[in-house]
Amino acid sequence: MSLSIRNRIPGTVTAVTRGEAMALVKVRLAGGQDITAAFTTDAVEELGLAEGSAVESLVKSTEVSLATGPVEGVSIRNRIPGTVTGVTTGGAMGSVKVSVEGGELTSAITKDAVEALGLAAGTSVVALVKSTEISLAAA
């Protein structure tokens, strides 16, 4: 199946915590970063996810926020350090490519945010993704 989701990083499930309706799935990405994905327990069962399962983490570019410094006091747990490798802007929006250990992420943010953050190739950033915005595909 072809998908429009550009952000796809392979990893391995390290833990699954099931609740009544929702589950948390911890994944170690190919670059060694740990992330958490939250979705229904039905999806965990349907995908057959368990510790050791190979997965691909999928995140829409519109769900990747960027910070240029340390991030404190927010509930976002998935914080992936990287370096900007390219920036393309149009009239309203920008597309920012970020190299991270084990892959690349794309963030779709406003042109104003690109300018305010001073984003350019070589800028160090932290990619922020809420756990509810990460999807997993069985690899």
Side-chain angles (χ1 to χ4, degrees):
M1 170 193 306
S2 295
L3 297 172
S4 64
I5 297 174
R6 298 295 83 167
N7 297 317
R8 303 175 184 188
I9 299 178
T12 304
V13 173
T14 58
V16 178
T17 304
R18 288 177 175 81
E20 295 277 330
M22 298 292 290
L24 294 179
V25 179
K26 294 195 182 280
V27 175
R28 170 116 345 120
L29 298 177
Q33 313 93 325
D34 292 316
I35 63 166
T36 301
F39 43 85
T40 66
T41 53
D42 288 345
V44 170
E45 296 302 323
E46 185 176 309
L47 292 170
L49 298 179
E51 189 173 326
S53 296
V55 294
E56 190 173 43
S57 299
L58 309 167
V59 183
K60 290 175 57 176
S61 61
T62 54
E63 302 304 332
V64 178
S65 296
L66 299 175
T68 56
V71 179
E72 300 297 329
V74 297
S75 64
I76 299 172
R77 294 291 163 244
N78 297 311
R79 304 170 188 191
I80 305 169
T83 303
V84 173
T85 58
V87 178
T88 305
T89 57
M93 296 294 292
S95 176
V96 181
K97 302 253 186 233
V98 178
S99 175
V100 301
E101 291 292 326
E104 181 178 74
L105 294 173
T106 299
S107 175
I109 58 177
T110 66
K111 178 182 175 185
D112 290 346
V114 169
E115 292 170 358
L117 293 171
L119 299 177
T123 304
S124 292
V125 294
V126 177
L128 307 166
V129 184
K130 290 183 67 164
S131 59
T132 53
E133 302 307 323
I134 295 177
S135 296
L136 297 178

